[in-house]
Amino acid sequence: MQNQKNFLTELLVTGLGGAIGGATRYLLGLVPIIGPMPVMTMLINWLGTLLLAMLGAYLASHRSRLERWQSFLGTGVLGGFTTFSTMIWQVHQQLFISVANALVYMILTLGGVLIMLKLGNYFGNKIGEAHV
């Protein structure tokens, strides 16, 4: 019975986080962008990667007392916020404009998320060290 209760709690916590993250992504997607490049999706994925890396690095040293935050913030909010499938669809759409646009968008997105991953790990570890 306890395992079923834990499962349902995790499901609800993750679902609530996903709703928040998805709604936030939707609202940011309404911001008008000038030009053909889907900049907002790229920025969303950069920010989501930065925050997810920070959360992961922080939780690595604080796992026991913050496990529910991983489900809510990591899988839920940030999983609902970032959008790999939208990025891939937008790469496909950019191909109709030009192959160069599609390549630039992919390179900027992937390069940016790798930089955000490094920064997020760095800052998450620093925050974690400060709270030990």
Side-chain angles (χ1 to χ4, degrees):
M1 184 67 170
Q2 185 63 28
N3 284 342
Q4 185 178 15
K5 182 179 177 184
N6 287 341
F7 171 78
L8 290 175
T9 302
E10 289 294 314
L11 180 64
L12 290 173
V13 165
T14 304
L16 176 63
I20 292 168
T24 303
R25 180 182 72 223
Y26 172 76
L27 292 172
L28 286 174
L30 297 176
V31 174
I33 299 295
I34 299 171
M37 193 72 65
V39 175
M40 190 53 72
T41 302
M42 186 168 47
L43 294 175
I44 287 168
N45 285 329
W46 288 358
L47 178 60
T49 300
L50 173 70
L51 295 174
L52 190 57
M54 287 176 67
L55 178 67
Y58 181 81
L59 289 179
S61 60
H62 298 82
R63 172 73 58 203
S64 61
R65 55 189 170 160
L66 298 172
E67 200 159 303
R68 285 261 155 70
W69 287 104
Q70 172 61 43
S71 296
F72 176 69
L73 290 174
T75 306
V77 174
L78 295 173
F81 181 66
T82 58
T83 172
F84 183 74
S85 59
T86 299
M87 185 204 82
I88 295 303
W89 174 252
Q90 289 172 338
V91 166
H92 178 261
Q93 290 175 320
Q94 290 297 305
L95 286 170
F96 292 111
I97 297 169
S98 77
V99 172
N101 268 27
L103 287 173
V104 166
Y105 178 57
M106 279 183 20
I107 290 167
L108 286 174
T109 298
L110 296 175
V113 297
L114 290 174
I115 291 168
M116 293 299 126
L117 180 65
K118 286 289 193 187
L119 286 172
N121 278 325
Y122 174 79
F123 288 120
N125 284 325
K126 289 293 182 192
I127 293 167
E129 290 170 5
H131 290 103
V132 173

PDB file of all heavy atoms in Angstrom, residues 60-95:
ATOM      1  N   ALA A  60      22.987  16.156  -6.372  1.00  0.00           N
ATOM      2  CA  ALA A  60      23.976  15.089  -6.220  1.00  0.00           C
ATOM      3  C   ALA A  60      24.547  15.068  -4.804  1.00  0.00           C
ATOM      4  O   ALA A  60      24.859  14.004  -4.273  1.00  0.00           O
ATOM      5  CB  ALA A  60      25.098  15.258  -7.244  1.00  0.00           C
ATOM      6  N   SER A  61      24.644  16.234  -4.181  1.00  0.00           N
ATOM      7  CA  SER A  61      25.176  16.279  -2.816  1.00  0.00           C
ATOM      8  C   SER A  61      24.095  16.434  -1.751  1.00  0.00           C
ATOM      9  O   SER A  61      24.390  16.459  -0.571  1.00  0.00           O
ATOM     10  CB  SER A  61      26.179  17.433  -2.696  1.00  0.00           C
ATOM     11  OG  SER A  61      25.541  18.660  -2.981  1.00  0.00           O
ATOM     12  N   HIS A  62      22.838  16.530  -2.155  1.00  0.00           N
ATOM     13  CA  HIS A  62      21.736  16.713  -1.210  1.00  0.00           C
ATOM     14  C   HIS A  62      20.588  15.756  -1.501  1.00  0.00           C
ATOM     15  O   HIS A  62      19.435  16.057  -1.235  1.00  0.00           O
ATOM     16  CB  HIS A  62      21.206  18.154  -1.279  1.00  0.00           C
ATOM     17  CG  HIS A  62      22.213  19.175  -0.898  1.00  0.00           C
ATOM     18  ND1 HIS A  62      23.165  19.644  -1.775  1.00  0.00           N
ATOM     19  CD2 HIS A  62      22.433  19.814   0.272  1.00  0.00           C
ATOM     20  CE1 HIS A  62      23.912  20.526  -1.156  1.00  0.00           C
ATOM     21  NE2 HIS A  62      23.496  20.652   0.085  1.00  0.00           N
ATOM     22  N   ARG A  63      20.870  14.619  -2.047  1.00  0.00           N
ATOM     23  CA  ARG A  63      19.862  13.681  -2.553  1.00  0.00           C
ATOM     24  C   ARG A  63      18.845  13.272  -1.486  1.00  0.00           C
ATOM     25  O   ARG A  63      17.651  13.262  -1.736  1.00  0.00           O
ATOM     26  CB  ARG A  63      20.570  12.450  -3.122  1.00  0.00           C
ATOM     27  CG  ARG A  63      19.698  11.299  -3.515  1.00  0.00           C
ATOM     28  CD  ARG A  63      18.869  11.449  -4.748  1.00  0.00           C
ATOM     29  NE  ARG A  63      19.645  11.731  -5.921  1.00  0.00           N
ATOM     30  CZ  ARG A  63      19.158  12.311  -6.986  1.00  0.00           C
ATOM     31  NH1 ARG A  63      17.905  12.674  -7.024  1.00  0.00           N
ATOM     32  NH2 ARG A  63      19.896  12.537  -8.023  1.00  0.00           N
ATOM     33  N   SER A  64      19.271  12.956  -0.306  1.00  0.00           N
ATOM     34  CA  SER A  64      18.371  12.340   0.665  1.00  0.00           C
ATOM     35  C   SER A  64      17.197  13.225   1.057  1.00  0.00           C
ATOM     36  O   SER A  64      16.080  12.745   1.209  1.00  0.00           O
ATOM     37  CB  SER A  64      19.151  11.938   1.918  1.00  0.00           C
ATOM     38  OG  SER A  64      19.725  13.080   2.514  1.00  0.00           O
ATOM     39  N   ARG A  65      17.407  14.515   1.210  1.00  0.00           N
ATOM     40  CA  ARG A  65      16.317  15.360   1.694  1.00  0.00           C
ATOM     41  C   ARG A  65      15.548  16.081   0.599  1.00  0.00           C
ATOM     42  O   ARG A  65      14.555  16.734   0.876  1.00  0.00           O
ATOM     43  CB  ARG A  65      16.834  16.353   2.718  1.00  0.00           C
ATOM     44  CG  ARG A  65      17.960  17.181   2.230  1.00  0.00           C
ATOM     45  CD  ARG A  65      18.582  17.986   3.327  1.00  0.00           C
ATOM     46  NE  ARG A  65      19.801  18.549   2.764  1.00  0.00           N
ATOM     47  CZ  ARG A  65      20.435  19.561   3.224  1.00  0.00           C
ATOM     48  NH1 ARG A  65      20.008  20.133   4.307  1.00  0.00           N
ATOM     49  NH2 ARG A  65      21.505  19.993   2.649  1.00  0.00           N
ATOM     50  N   LEU A  66      15.991  15.973  -0.652  1.00  0.00           N
ATOM     51  CA  LEU A  66      15.359  16.741  -1.720  1.00  0.00           C
ATOM     52  C   LEU A  66      14.889  15.878  -2.892  1.00  0.00           C
ATOM     53  O   LEU A  66      14.721  16.373  -3.993  1.00  0.00           O
ATOM     54  CB  LEU A  66      16.331  17.805  -2.237  1.00  0.00           C
ATOM     55  CG  LEU A  66      16.760  18.851  -1.220  1.00  0.00           C
ATOM     56  CD1 LEU A  66      17.859  19.720  -1.795  1.00  0.00           C
ATOM     57  CD2 LEU A  66      15.580  19.705  -0.813  1.00  0.00           C
ATOM     58  N   GLU A  67      14.662  14.604  -2.657  1.00  0.00           N
ATOM     59  CA  GLU A  67      14.325  13.700  -3.754  1.00  0.00           C
ATOM     60  C   GLU A  67      13.045  14.096  -4.475  1.00  0.00           C
ATOM     61  O   GLU A  67      12.952  13.985  -5.690  1.00  0.00           O
ATOM     62  CB  GLU A  67      14.220  12.269  -3.231  1.00  0.00           C
ATOM     63  CG  GLU A  67      14.347  11.261  -4.342  1.00  0.00           C
ATOM     64  CD  GLU A  67      14.753   9.906  -3.815  1.00  0.00           C
ATOM     65  OE1 GLU A  67      15.793   9.811  -3.154  1.00  0.00           O
ATOM     66  OE2 GLU A  67      13.998   8.962  -4.082  1.00  0.00           O
ATOM     67  N   ARG A  68      12.040  14.558  -3.771  1.00  0.00           N
ATOM     68  CA  ARG A  68      10.785  14.969  -4.416  1.00  0.00           C
ATOM     69  C   ARG A  68      10.991  16.152  -5.344  1.00  0.00           C
ATOM     70  O   ARG A  68      10.292  16.331  -6.314  1.00  0.00           O
ATOM     71  CB  ARG A  68       9.727  15.327  -3.381  1.00  0.00           C
ATOM     72  CG  ARG A  68       9.135  14.127  -2.717  1.00  0.00           C
ATOM     73  CD  ARG A  68       7.789  13.784  -3.356  1.00  0.00           C
ATOM     74  NE  ARG A  68       7.443  12.388  -3.207  1.00  0.00           N
ATOM     75  CZ  ARG A  68       7.102  11.794  -2.095  1.00  0.00           C
ATOM     76  NH1 ARG A  68       7.066  12.458  -0.982  1.00  0.00           N
ATOM     77  NH2 ARG A  68       6.791  10.520  -2.090  1.00  0.00           N
ATOM     78  N   TRP A  69      11.966  17.003  -5.037  1.00  0.00           N
ATOM     79  CA  TRP A  69      12.231  18.150  -5.900  1.00  0.00           C
ATOM     80  C   TRP A  69      12.714  17.704  -7.271  1.00  0.00           C
ATOM     81  O   TRP A  69      12.468  18.378  -8.266  1.00  0.00           O
ATOM     82  CB  TRP A  69      13.232  19.099  -5.251  1.00  0.00           C
ATOM     83  CG  TRP A  69      12.618  19.853  -4.117  1.00  0.00           C
ATOM     84  CD1 TRP A  69      12.793  19.629  -2.787  1.00  0.00           C
ATOM     85  CD2 TRP A  69      11.693  20.934  -4.221  1.00  0.00           C
ATOM     86  NE1 TRP A  69      12.038  20.504  -2.056  1.00  0.00           N
ATOM     87  CE2 TRP A  69      11.354  21.322  -2.916  1.00  0.00           C
ATOM     88  CE3 TRP A  69      11.110  21.609  -5.287  1.00  0.00           C
ATOM     89  CZ2 TRP A  69      10.470  22.357  -2.652  1.00  0.00           C
ATOM     90  CZ3 TRP A  69      10.233  22.643  -5.025  1.00  0.00           C
ATOM     91  CH2 TRP A  69       9.928  23.005  -3.718  1.00  0.00           C
ATOM     92  N   GLN A  70      13.417  16.578  -7.331  1.00  0.00           N
ATOM     93  CA  GLN A  70      13.858  16.064  -8.624  1.00  0.00           C
ATOM     94  C   GLN A  70      12.656  15.733  -9.498  1.00  0.00           C
ATOM     95  O   GLN A  70      12.622  16.085 -10.668  1.00  0.00           O
ATOM     96  CB  GLN A  70      14.738  14.817  -8.449  1.00  0.00           C
ATOM     97  CG  GLN A  70      15.069  14.112  -9.752  1.00  0.00           C
ATOM     98  CD  GLN A  70      15.832  14.978 -10.738  1.00  0.00           C
ATOM     99  OE1 GLN A  70      16.751  15.682 -10.347  1.00  0.00           O
ATOM    100  NE2 GLN A  70      15.455  14.940 -12.005  1.00  0.00           N
ATOM    101  N   SER A  71      11.668  15.075  -8.935  1.00  0.00           N
ATOM    102  CA  SER A  71      10.471  14.730  -9.702  1.00  0.00           C
ATOM    103  C   SER A  71       9.697  15.977 -10.109  1.00  0.00           C
ATOM    104  O   SER A  71       9.258  16.099 -11.256  1.00  0.00           O
ATOM    105  CB  SER A  71       9.557  13.812  -8.890  1.00  0.00           C
ATOM    106  OG  SER A  71      10.194  12.592  -8.640  1.00  0.00           O
ATOM    107  N   PHE A  72       9.516  16.897  -9.186  1.00  0.00           N
ATOM    108  CA  PHE A  72       8.733  18.101  -9.473  1.00  0.00           C
ATOM    109  C   PHE A  72       9.479  19.050 -10.413  1.00  0.00           C
ATOM    110  O   PHE A  72       8.968  19.426 -11.475  1.00  0.00           O
ATOM    111  CB  PHE A  72       8.373  18.822  -8.173  1.00  0.00           C
ATOM    112  CG  PHE A  72       7.657  20.131  -8.386  1.00  0.00           C
ATOM    113  CD1 PHE A  72       6.365  20.154  -8.876  1.00  0.00           C
ATOM    114  CD2 PHE A  72       8.290  21.335  -8.118  1.00  0.00           C
ATOM    115  CE1 PHE A  72       5.703  21.361  -9.093  1.00  0.00           C
ATOM    116  CE2 PHE A  72       7.641  22.543  -8.327  1.00  0.00           C
ATOM    117  CZ  PHE A  72       6.343  22.560  -8.819  1.00  0.00           C
ATOM    118  N   LEU A  73      10.694  19.457 -10.021  1.00  0.00           N
ATOM    119  CA  LEU A  73      11.437  20.440 -10.805  1.00  0.00           C
ATOM    120  C   LEU A  73      12.115  19.841 -12.033  1.00  0.00           C
ATOM    121  O   LEU A  73      12.014  20.390 -13.126  1.00  0.00           O
ATOM    122  CB  LEU A  73      12.495  21.126  -9.930  1.00  0.00           C
ATOM    123  CG  LEU A  73      11.982  22.056  -8.859  1.00  0.00           C
ATOM    124  CD1 LEU A  73      13.128  22.541  -7.979  1.00  0.00           C
ATOM    125  CD2 LEU A  73      11.258  23.237  -9.470  1.00  0.00           C
ATOM    126  N   GLY A  74      12.816  18.726 -11.847  1.00  0.00           N
ATOM    127  CA  GLY A  74      13.587  18.143 -12.950  1.00  0.00           C
ATOM    128  C   GLY A  74      12.721  17.516 -14.013  1.00  0.00           C
ATOM    129  O   GLY A  74      12.631  18.003 -15.150  1.00  0.00           O
ATOM    130  N   THR A  75      12.053  16.430 -13.654  1.00  0.00           N
ATOM    131  CA  THR A  75      11.220  15.716 -14.620  1.00  0.00           C
ATOM    132  C   THR A  75       9.984  16.519 -14.987  1.00  0.00           C
ATOM    133  O   THR A  75       9.610  16.599 -16.156  1.00  0.00           O
ATOM    134  CB  THR A  75      10.802  14.343 -14.043  1.00  0.00           C
ATOM    135  OG1 THR A  75      11.978  13.643 -13.636  1.00  0.00           O
ATOM    136  CG2 THR A  75      10.057  13.529 -15.075  1.00  0.00           C
ATOM    137  N   GLY A  76       9.364  17.149 -14.008  1.00  0.00           N
ATOM    138  CA  GLY A  76       8.120  17.871 -14.240  1.00  0.00           C
ATOM    139  C   GLY A  76       8.314  19.228 -14.890  1.00  0.00           C
ATOM    140  O   GLY A  76       8.119  19.385 -16.096  1.00  0.00           O
ATOM    141  N   VAL A  77       8.713  20.226 -14.106  1.00  0.00           N
ATOM    142  CA  VAL A  77       8.784  21.607 -14.602  1.00  0.00           C
ATOM    143  C   VAL A  77       9.764  21.724 -15.767  1.00  0.00           C
ATOM    144  O   VAL A  77       9.404  22.197 -16.851  1.00  0.00           O
ATOM    145  CB  VAL A  77       9.170  22.595 -13.480  1.00  0.00           C
ATOM    146  CG1 VAL A  77       9.391  23.991 -14.034  1.00  0.00           C
ATOM    147  CG2 VAL A  77       8.108  22.617 -12.386  1.00  0.00           C
ATOM    148  N   LEU A  78      11.007  21.303 -15.570  1.00  0.00           N
ATOM    149  CA  LEU A  78      12.009  21.491 -16.629  1.00  0.00           C
ATOM    150  C   LEU A  78      11.805  20.525 -17.788  1.00  0.00           C
ATOM    151  O   LEU A  78      12.092  20.871 -18.935  1.00  0.00           O
ATOM    152  CB  LEU A  78      13.415  21.383 -16.042  1.00  0.00           C
ATOM    153  CG  LEU A  78      13.740  22.505 -15.048  1.00  0.00           C
ATOM    154  CD1 LEU A  78      15.075  22.264 -14.368  1.00  0.00           C
ATOM    155  CD2 LEU A  78      13.704  23.862 -15.721  1.00  0.00           C
ATOM    156  N   GLY A  79      11.299  19.333 -17.511  1.00  0.00           N
ATOM    157  CA  GLY A  79      10.969  18.411 -18.602  1.00  0.00           C
ATOM    158  C   GLY A  79       9.829  18.930 -19.453  1.00  0.00           C
ATOM    159  O   GLY A  79       9.828  18.792 -20.678  1.00  0.00           O
ATOM    160  N   GLY A  80       8.851  19.556 -18.812  1.00  0.00           N
ATOM    161  CA  GLY A  80       7.746  20.152 -19.547  1.00  0.00           C
ATOM    162  C   GLY A  80       8.137  21.452 -20.242  1.00  0.00           C
ATOM    163  O   GLY A  80       7.559  21.830 -21.248  1.00  0.00           O
ATOM    164  N   PHE A  81       9.138  22.122 -19.715  1.00  0.00           N
ATOM    165  CA  PHE A  81       9.574  23.404 -20.245  1.00  0.00           C
ATOM    166  C   PHE A  81      10.439  23.251 -21.502  1.00  0.00           C
ATOM    167  O   PHE A  81      10.225  23.929 -22.496  1.00  0.00           O
ATOM    168  CB  PHE A  81      10.347  24.150 -19.155  1.00  0.00           C
ATOM    169  CG  PHE A  81      10.838  25.514 -19.548  1.00  0.00           C
ATOM    170  CD1 PHE A  81       9.943  26.540 -19.817  1.00  0.00           C
ATOM    171  CD2 PHE A  81      12.188  25.788 -19.619  1.00  0.00           C
ATOM    172  CE1 PHE A  81      10.385  27.808 -20.161  1.00  0.00           C
ATOM    173  CE2 PHE A  81      12.643  27.048 -19.959  1.00  0.00           C
ATOM    174  CZ  PHE A  81      11.741  28.059 -20.240  1.00  0.00           C
ATOM    175  N   THR A  82      11.414  22.358 -21.434  1.00  0.00           N
ATOM    176  CA  THR A  82      12.294  22.165 -22.587  1.00  0.00           C
ATOM    177  C   THR A  82      11.571  21.343 -23.639  1.00  0.00           C
ATOM    178  O   THR A  82      10.634  20.629 -23.347  1.00  0.00           O
ATOM    179  CB  THR A  82      13.607  21.472 -22.183  1.00  0.00           C
ATOM    180  OG1 THR A  82      13.300  20.228 -21.581  1.00  0.00           O
ATOM    181  CG2 THR A  82      14.419  22.337 -21.246  1.00  0.00           C
ATOM    182  N   THR A  83      12.056  21.425 -24.870  1.00  0.00           N
ATOM    183  CA  THR A  83      11.255  20.852 -25.941  1.00  0.00           C
ATOM    184  C   THR A  83      12.096  20.389 -27.121  1.00  0.00           C
ATOM    185  O   THR A  83      12.235  21.089 -28.107  1.00  0.00           O
ATOM    186  CB  THR A  83      10.183  21.862 -26.371  1.00  0.00           C
ATOM    187  OG1 THR A  83       9.547  21.382 -27.525  1.00  0.00           O
ATOM    188  CG2 THR A  83      10.735  23.228 -26.637  1.00  0.00           C
ATOM    189  N   PHE A  84      12.670  19.222 -26.979  1.00  0.00           N
ATOM    190  CA  PHE A  84      13.499  18.663 -28.046  1.00  0.00           C
ATOM    191  C   PHE A  84      12.677  18.378 -29.299  1.00  0.00           C
ATOM    192  O   PHE A  84      13.124  18.667 -30.410  1.00  0.00           O
ATOM    193  CB  PHE A  84      14.180  17.378 -27.559  1.00  0.00           C
ATOM    194  CG  PHE A  84      15.100  16.775 -28.576  1.00  0.00           C
ATOM    195  CD1 PHE A  84      16.333  17.351 -28.834  1.00  0.00           C
ATOM    196  CD2 PHE A  84      14.734  15.643 -29.272  1.00  0.00           C
ATOM    197  CE1 PHE A  84      17.191  16.803 -29.769  1.00  0.00           C
ATOM    198  CE2 PHE A  84      15.577  15.081 -30.215  1.00  0.00           C
ATOM    199  CZ  PHE A  84      16.811  15.666 -30.463  1.00  0.00           C
ATOM    200  N   SER A  85      11.489  17.849 -29.133  1.00  0.00           N
ATOM    201  CA  SER A  85      10.673  17.522 -30.306  1.00  0.00           C
ATOM    202  C   SER A  85      10.294  18.774 -31.088  1.00  0.00           C
ATOM    203  O   SER A  85      10.274  18.760 -32.327  1.00  0.00           O
ATOM    204  CB  SER A  85       9.427  16.737 -29.892  1.00  0.00           C
ATOM    205  OG  SER A  85       8.659  17.483 -28.978  1.00  0.00           O
ATOM    206  N   THR A  86      10.013  19.870 -30.401  1.00  0.00           N
ATOM    207  CA  THR A  86       9.717  21.125 -31.096  1.00  0.00           C
ATOM    208  C   THR A  86      10.952  21.609 -31.847  1.00  0.00           C
ATOM    209  O   THR A  86      10.856  22.071 -32.979  1.00  0.00           O
ATOM    210  CB  THR A  86       9.244  22.205 -30.109  1.00  0.00           C
ATOM    211  OG1 THR A  86       8.052  21.753 -29.482  1.00  0.00           O
ATOM    212  CG2 THR A  86       8.990  23.531 -30.802  1.00  0.00           C
ATOM    213  N   MET A  87      12.120  21.485 -31.233  1.00  0.00           N
ATOM    214  CA  MET A  87      13.345  21.893 -31.906  1.00  0.00           C
ATOM    215  C   MET A  87      13.534  21.102 -33.201  1.00  0.00           C
ATOM    216  O   MET A  87      13.849  21.678 -34.244  1.00  0.00           O
ATOM    217  CB  MET A  87      14.558  21.694 -31.003  1.00  0.00           C
ATOM    218  CG  MET A  87      15.844  22.220 -31.622  1.00  0.00           C
ATOM    219  SD  MET A  87      17.341  21.457 -30.985  1.00  0.00           S
ATOM    220  CE  MET A  87      17.395  19.971 -31.961  1.00  0.00           C
ATOM    221  N   ILE A  88      13.333  19.798 -33.153  1.00  0.00           N
ATOM    222  CA  ILE A  88      13.502  18.967 -34.347  1.00  0.00           C
ATOM    223  C   ILE A  88      12.488  19.368 -35.417  1.00  0.00           C
ATOM    224  O   ILE A  88      12.819  19.461 -36.601  1.00  0.00           O
ATOM    225  CB  ILE A  88      13.392  17.472 -33.993  1.00  0.00           C
ATOM    226  CG1 ILE A  88      14.558  17.070 -33.071  1.00  0.00           C
ATOM    227  CG2 ILE A  88      13.356  16.610 -35.241  1.00  0.00           C
ATOM    228  CD1 ILE A  88      15.934  17.329 -33.639  1.00  0.00           C
ATOM    229  N   TRP A  89      11.245  19.617 -35.022  1.00  0.00           N
ATOM    230  CA  TRP A  89      10.239  20.056 -35.991  1.00  0.00           C
ATOM    231  C   TRP A  89      10.644  21.392 -36.618  1.00  0.00           C
ATOM    232  O   TRP A  89      10.491  21.597 -37.817  1.00  0.00           O
ATOM    233  CB  TRP A  89       8.866  20.163 -35.319  1.00  0.00           C
ATOM    234  CG  TRP A  89       7.833  20.735 -36.238  1.00  0.00           C
ATOM    235  CD1 TRP A  89       7.278  21.971 -36.175  1.00  0.00           C
ATOM    236  CD2 TRP A  89       7.264  20.101 -37.384  1.00  0.00           C
ATOM    237  NE1 TRP A  89       6.393  22.146 -37.203  1.00  0.00           N
ATOM    238  CE2 TRP A  89       6.365  21.013 -37.974  1.00  0.00           C
ATOM    239  CE3 TRP A  89       7.428  18.859 -37.981  1.00  0.00           C
ATOM    240  CZ2 TRP A  89       5.634  20.717 -39.109  1.00  0.00           C
ATOM    241  CZ3 TRP A  89       6.705  18.564 -39.119  1.00  0.00           C
ATOM    242  CH2 TRP A  89       5.818  19.483 -39.674  1.00  0.00           C
ATOM    243  N   GLN A  90      11.200  22.292 -35.807  1.00  0.00           N
ATOM    244  CA  GLN A  90      11.605  23.586 -36.336  1.00  0.00           C
ATOM    245  C   GLN A  90      12.823  23.477 -37.255  1.00  0.00           C
ATOM    246  O   GLN A  90      12.951  24.241 -38.207  1.00  0.00           O
ATOM    247  CB  GLN A  90      11.833  24.572 -35.193  1.00  0.00           C
ATOM    248  CG  GLN A  90      10.517  24.969 -34.555  1.00  0.00           C
ATOM    249  CD  GLN A  90      10.670  25.781 -33.301  1.00  0.00           C
ATOM    250  OE1 GLN A  90      11.708  25.763 -32.641  1.00  0.00           O
ATOM    251  NE2 GLN A  90       9.626  26.515 -32.944  1.00  0.00           N
ATOM    252  N   VAL A  91      13.707  22.538 -36.987  1.00  0.00           N
ATOM    253  CA  VAL A  91      14.807  22.273 -37.921  1.00  0.00           C
ATOM    254  C   VAL A  91      14.214  21.850 -39.268  1.00  0.00           C
ATOM    255  O   VAL A  91      14.636  22.331 -40.327  1.00  0.00           O
ATOM    256  CB  VAL A  91      15.768  21.190 -37.381  1.00  0.00           C
ATOM    257  CG1 VAL A  91      16.707  20.682 -38.482  1.00  0.00           C
ATOM    258  CG2 VAL A  91      16.570  21.719 -36.200  1.00  0.00           C
ATOM    259  N   HIS A  92      13.231  20.975 -39.232  1.00  0.00           N
ATOM    260  CA  HIS A  92      12.552  20.531 -40.453  1.00  0.00           C
ATOM    261  C   HIS A  92      11.941  21.733 -41.186  1.00  0.00           C
ATOM    262  O   HIS A  92      12.067  21.859 -42.412  1.00  0.00           O
ATOM    263  CB  HIS A  92      11.482  19.495 -40.097  1.00  0.00           C
ATOM    264  CG  HIS A  92      10.702  19.007 -41.249  1.00  0.00           C
ATOM    265  ND1 HIS A  92       9.460  19.497 -41.559  1.00  0.00           N
ATOM    266  CD2 HIS A  92      10.992  18.084 -42.191  1.00  0.00           C
ATOM    267  CE1 HIS A  92       9.014  18.891 -42.638  1.00  0.00           C
ATOM    268  NE2 HIS A  92       9.916  18.019 -43.045  1.00  0.00           N
ATOM    269  N   GLN A  93      11.293  22.624 -40.457  1.00  0.00           N
ATOM    270  CA  GLN A  93      10.699  23.809 -41.070  1.00  0.00           C
ATOM    271  C   GLN A  93      11.770  24.737 -41.654  1.00  0.00           C
ATOM    272  O   GLN A  93      11.575  25.327 -42.715  1.00  0.00           O
ATOM    273  CB  GLN A  93       9.851  24.575 -40.051  1.00  0.00           C
ATOM    274  CG  GLN A  93       8.593  23.842 -39.664  1.00  0.00           C
ATOM    275  CD  GLN A  93       7.832  24.561 -38.569  1.00  0.00           C
ATOM    276  OE1 GLN A  93       8.424  25.088 -37.634  1.00  0.00           O
ATOM    277  NE2 GLN A  93       6.516  24.588 -38.699  1.00  0.00           N
ATOM    278  N   GLN A  94      12.896  24.861 -40.968  1.00  0.00           N
ATOM    279  CA  GLN A  94      13.986  25.708 -41.459  1.00  0.00           C
ATOM    280  C   GLN A  94      14.562  25.175 -42.777  1.00  0.00           C
ATOM    281  O   GLN A  94      15.044  25.949 -43.599  1.00  0.00           O
ATOM    282  CB  GLN A  94      15.103  25.808 -40.412  1.00  0.00           C
ATOM    283  CG  GLN A  94      14.738  26.595 -39.181  1.00  0.00           C
ATOM    284  CD  GLN A  94      14.440  28.037 -39.480  1.00  0.00           C
ATOM    285  OE1 GLN A  94      15.247  28.745 -40.079  1.00  0.00           O
ATOM    286  NE2 GLN A  94      13.264  28.487 -39.079  1.00  0.00           N
ATOM    287  N   LEU A  95      14.481  23.884 -42.982  1.00  0.00           N
ATOM    288  CA  LEU A  95      14.963  23.304 -44.240  1.00  0.00           C
ATOM    289  C   LEU A  95      14.200  23.855 -45.443  1.00  0.00           C
ATOM    290  O   LEU A  95      14.747  23.932 -46.541  1.00  0.00           O
ATOM    291  CB  LEU A  95      14.867  21.777 -44.205  1.00  0.00           C
ATOM    292  CG  LEU A  95      15.895  21.069 -43.337  1.00  0.00           C
ATOM    293  CD1 LEU A  95      15.539  19.593 -43.194  1.00  0.00           C
ATOM    294  CD2 LEU A  95      17.298  21.245 -43.893  1.00  0.00           C
TER     295      LEU A  95
END
